[in-house]
Amino acid sequence: MLSQVELIHKHLVVRAEVIKSPGKHDSENIVRWLHDLIARIGMRVLHGPTAIYCDAPGNRGMTAFAIIETSHIAFHSWDEGTPNVIQLDVYSCSEFEPEVVFAALRPFEPIEIDFKFLDRTAGMQEVVGGAKPASAHRRKRQTPAMTALSKG
């Protein structure tokens, strides 16, 4: 008799406004960053990571991906606007903590991080920290002006 494997499908979708996005000559740095992220979330590389910079006006930035044993990670950045933007997609058939992914974004100096963390095991339930149902989440950097307003 075949035993049933319990399926896990976690999907973190991130949009971050950042001060520092990778530049034209940072492909090797992003490959190292992806290797580090994969290790931090407890996954293993199956293929890649690969990174390439796009010079097309209006779409200038870095694109990178890695196939992990449990699915994939895709990274896209745009460096033409202010602030710069990073879109990150982490999909895995294993558990992982979104906070670890957010911490890995620190080298890019995030100003704001918007994300959705989905449990796609049986539908598209939104979760936080892998456990609690929630709606869309927004993290904002507390600026001095915001601090003054909150005290006033």
Side-chain angles (χ1 to χ4, degrees):
M1 183 172 183
L2 294 175
S3 64
Q4 280 212 304
V5 175
E6 184 177 332
L7 297 177
I8 297 171
H9 296 279
K10 300 297 173 125
H11 192 176
L12 179 64
V13 181
V14 177
R15 180 189 186 278
E17 292 181 355
V18 300
I19 294 170
K20 295 180 178 177
S21 66
K24 187 173 190 170
H25 304 289
D26 287 329
S27 294
E28 289 180 18
N29 293 332
I30 293 303
V31 165
R32 280 192 295 276
W33 182 84
L34 276 170
H35 272 293
D36 181 60
L37 173 61
I38 292 163
R40 284 183 184 200
I41 63 173
M43 306 298 165
R44 292 187 355 182
V45 173
L46 190 57
H47 178 77
T50 299
I52 190 162
Y53 188 85
C54 175
D55 276 323
N59 200 35
R60 200 177 74 199
M62 187 72 66
T63 293
F65 72 92
I67 299 172
I68 55 179
E69 283 184 344
T70 55
S71 197
H72 75 272
I73 298 174
F75 172 100
H76 306 281
S77 69
W78 290 265
D79 59 16
E80 290 176 286
T82 302
N84 297 165
V85 174
I86 290 175
Q87 302 272 5
L88 181 64
D89 185 78
V90 180
Y91 185 91
S92 179
C93 297
S94 292
E95 297 286 351
F96 67 93
E97 292 297 324
E99 292 296 328
V100 175
V101 177
F102 303 146
L105 291 170
R106 285 188 192 126
F108 306 109
E109 297 182 21
I111 298 166
E112 186 171 323
I113 297 174
D114 294 320
F115 70 98
K116 290 196 178 201
F117 187 43
L118 303 171
D119 183 344
R120 295 173 51 176
T121 304
M124 298 288 270
Q125 181 181 356
E126 203 167 338
V127 295
V128 175
K132 297 182 238 171
S135 58
H137 304 280
R138 182 173 220 117
R139 295 172 170 237
K140 289 190 176 181
R141 176 179 65 128
Q142 189 80 359
T143 65
M146 292 167 71
T147 303
L149 285 172
S150 66
K151 289 180 181 178

